[in-house]
Amino acid sequence: MQIGIIGAGMAGLSCAEVLVQAEHGVTLFDKARGPGGRMATRRMETVQGEAAFDHGAQYFTVREEAFADVVGGWERTGHAARWPAAGPEAWVGVPGMNSVIRKMADRLDVQFGALVTGMDASRQGWTIHMGPGRAGPFDALILAIPAEQAATLLSLHDFELARVALRARSQPCWTGMFAFADRLDSPDAPIRDCGDISWAVRNRDKPGRSGPESWVVQAQPQWTHAHLEKPADEVSGLLLGLLGSALGKQLPDPIGAAAHRWRFAMSSGTGDEALWNEHTLLGACGDWLIGPRVECAWLSGRAMADKVLASHGGADG
């Protein structure tokens, strides 16, 4: 089959790997400019050179044997490393969190900068719309995007799948990124659940990082809700103040600063692994179905691929 996947984060890429291995044709579409999703690494030019920030997922854990095998491969190729300071199960991509996503995407047909605005079904298959353009037809279509976005696209084509997506609700997160001329006097361990900060860390404290003194500050969900629609510049200043309070000092002016709003940062899961309508060949996967971990996204993508293969088989199916 020819299969389209909307979303090229961990879930979409994990699903695509299995389907391609089964000799199906797969094309992924993602609105971002490059690989990462919530495992993105943001880069910023400063007077001291380029600063890097893991501004989405800070690390990932490994519990399932199948995922452990994959992560072991990433470690052997230098794309992942353990990070003991965050916990005995913590791993990070090297030299950035997006390294493992980039490794996966490099072997697949991914179209970045593709903002999908709608989709249609006909006798020829599924067609997706991207502004003035379109792609397809595809025999099957899979949505590997946050529940809130999936619900909008699913609602006109499959009420049952849309209803599951509507049940899932994600917590938002404002994230601040700050580069400084000099190293801040601070603990090497991450700051967790300190007032309105849920997490703050020096990016260089992770394995394989270099560059200027760079900090990532992530706000608690309640704080984010209260400031959700404020301008990014204003939020950046507020988050810098929170970091100063957490460190107990007046911080110097940063040489680079930015804030990013993750509207769909954390989901508690719905109890499903993946959603699939074998009659219309429409499905959905993502961590919002299992739980708020990178591994959950990987598992959901694999479960999605298994459902497709169970109903339509591999190249000879």
Side-chain angles (χ1 to χ4, degrees), residues 252-264:
D253 290 337
I255 58 175
H260 180 86
R261 177 178 55 199
W262 296 99
R263 283 192 179 272
F264 313 116

Side-chain angles (χ1 to χ4, degrees), residues 174-308:
W174 267 115
T175 298
M177 294 158 277
F178 307 104
F180 299 94
D182 299 305
R183 181 181 174 89
L184 301 183
D185 182 17
S186 63
D188 292 334
I191 298 169
R192 304 174 191 254
D193 296 322
C194 180
D196 291 321
I197 291 178
S198 66
W199 174 274
V201 69
R202 178 188 292 108
N203 212 64
R204 288 183 61 178
D205 287 344
K206 298 179 180 181
R209 273 62 172 173
S210 60
E213 174 83 349
S214 305
W215 279 76
V216 171
V217 182
Q218 295 184 325
Q220 298 280 9
Q222 301 93 322
W223 190 95
T224 297
H225 275 294
H227 300 80
L228 191 61
E229 302 302 334
K230 289 186 177 179
D233 288 347
E234 180 180 348
V235 171
S236 175
L238 295 173
L239 290 173
L240 183 63
L242 293 181
L243 177 61
S245 296
L247 295 176
K249 63 186 66 182
Q250 181 70 35
L251 298 180
D253 290 337
I255 58 175
H260 180 86
R261 177 178 55 199
W262 296 99
R263 283 192 179 272
F264 313 116
M266 298 279 284
S267 176
S268 58
T270 65
D272 305 277
E273 288 187 317
L275 307 177
W276 177 240
N277 185 326
E278 62 181 4
H279 302 292
T280 61
L281 306 187
L282 178 64
C285 60
D287 59 357
W288 55 271
L289 288 160
I290 300 180
R293 296 187 295 116
V294 170
E295 183 178 33
C296 292
W298 185 89
L299 291 169
S300 181
R302 291 295 167 117
M304 181 76 266
D306 288 343
K307 288 180 181 292
V308 174

Side-chain angles (χ1 to χ4, degrees), residues 56-172:
Q58 295 298 296
Y59 62 90
F60 59 92
T61 56
V62 180
R63 300 176 188 176
E64 298 292 334
E65 183 177 353
F67 189 54
D69 290 341
V70 171
V71 174
W74 295 341
E75 182 182 28
R76 288 190 293 274
T77 59
H79 291 88
R82 293 182 182 274
W83 185 26
E89 295 182 328
W91 290 77
V92 294
V94 177
M97 282 298 289
N98 69 344
S99 297
V100 294
I101 295 291
R102 189 178 298 276
K103 173 180 171 62
M104 296 169 73
D106 283 347
R107 297 179 292 181
L108 298 167
D109 179 11
V110 185
Q111 295 187 21
F112 289 106
L115 176 60
V116 175
T117 57
M119 58 196 202
D120 292 322
S122 68
R123 290 184 178 181
Q124 287 71 42
W126 289 96
T127 299
I128 65 172
H129 300 270
M130 300 171 289
R134 62 180 59 193
F138 297 103
D139 300 304
L141 188 62
I142 295 166
L143 278 59
I145 52 181
E148 291 82 353
Q149 297 171 348
T152 300
L153 293 176
L154 291 169
S155 60
L156 297 177
H157 301 279
D158 192 309
F159 178 73
E160 290 302 317
L161 299 191
R163 187 168 62 178
V164 177
L166 286 168
R167 290 206 316 263
R169 282 291 174 266
S170 303
Q171 293 280 9

